[in-house]
Amino acid sequence: VTWHSLGSSPACPQGLVRGPSGDLWFTDEVSCSSVGQEEAISRVGSISRAGTVHTFSVPSSNDQPMGDIVEGPDGNLWMTGSRGLDNAVFRLTRSGKWSTFLDGTKGPFEWANTIVSADGSLWFPEQNLRGTSPGRIVQVSTSGAVKVHELESKVGGVYAQPVWLAPDREGN
């Protein structure tokens, strides 16, 4: 086992994804909270196989990407979270340029995994943790076009919530 410093304390890396050159990309929380409590991230970083670390701070304290990170078909890194009270999708280029795309909805929502479909769009399930409004499936193109699909069904008086997404054999 080789330990590598991430250059700050406390460092609470999560949301690990492998980049095309073999480097690992991660999100890093604002603070190390109790187990089971997710915090907004303050930066995204990469670590090379040799242990070289590069980090990119979130551009605004109003932007709050959360935990999960995925490489898109465009080679950029994608995360979900919020900008203030608005739900948002964040894109980070490998050179450190951030873009934010709002999905037109407000929280309180939590995001689960992110997948890339065969057509190259990214899909995120949004869960309303209280079950008081419909869960949503959000589709985002790599150009930033956002489409929200609401789940209108109720179970026992509570709206159904998406839990996990997975592509089929054709990548859809």
Side-chain angles (χ1 to χ4, degrees):
V1 176
T2 303
W3 294 90
H4 298 281
S5 171
L6 298 181
S8 70
S9 182
C12 300
Q14 57 178 322
L16 196 64
V17 67
R18 183 177 177 272
S21 63
D23 52 346
L24 297 176
W25 286 81
F26 59 89
T27 60
D28 195 8
E29 289 183 357
V30 171
S31 64
C32 296
S33 61
S34 302
V35 174
Q37 291 182 331
E38 190 171 8
E39 294 284 334
I41 64 170
S42 59
R43 65 186 182 159
V44 171
S46 67
I47 184 167
S48 70
R49 291 183 210 169
T52 304
V53 176
H54 297 281
T55 60
F56 304 98
S57 295
V58 174
S60 162
S61 61
N62 202 31
D63 290 339
Q64 298 181 345
M66 303 296 275
D68 191 27
I69 184 171
V70 67
E71 180 184 9
D74 56 357
N76 295 315
L77 300 162
W78 292 81
M79 294 145 278
T80 56
S82 65
R83 170 173 274 176
L85 297 176
D86 297 312
N87 292 323
V89 176
F90 299 92
R91 177 180 63 202
L92 176 64
T93 66
R94 296 193 183 279
S95 63
K97 182 180 178 207
W98 287 90
S99 300
T100 305
F101 307 101
L102 302 179
D103 72 8
T105 62
K106 303 234 182 256
F109 282 86
E110 183 172 295
W111 296 266
N113 70 311
T114 303
I115 65 166
V116 178
S117 67
D119 69 357
S121 58
L122 296 102
W123 294 77
F124 310 88
E126 287 184 345
Q127 304 166 346
N128 178 305
L129 299 180
R130 296 183 198 120
T132 55
S133 63
R136 302 184 272 253
I137 306 290
V138 178
Q139 177 185 9
V140 182
S141 71
T142 55
S143 65
V146 178
K147 187 173 184 180
V148 177
H149 308 274
E150 286 197 350
L151 305 175
E152 293 292 337
S153 61
K154 282 188 174 184
V155 178
V158 177
Y159 284 100
Q161 303 296 317
V163 176
W164 199 260
L165 295 178
D168 63 16
R169 287 181 222 169
E170 285 79 40
N172 299 309

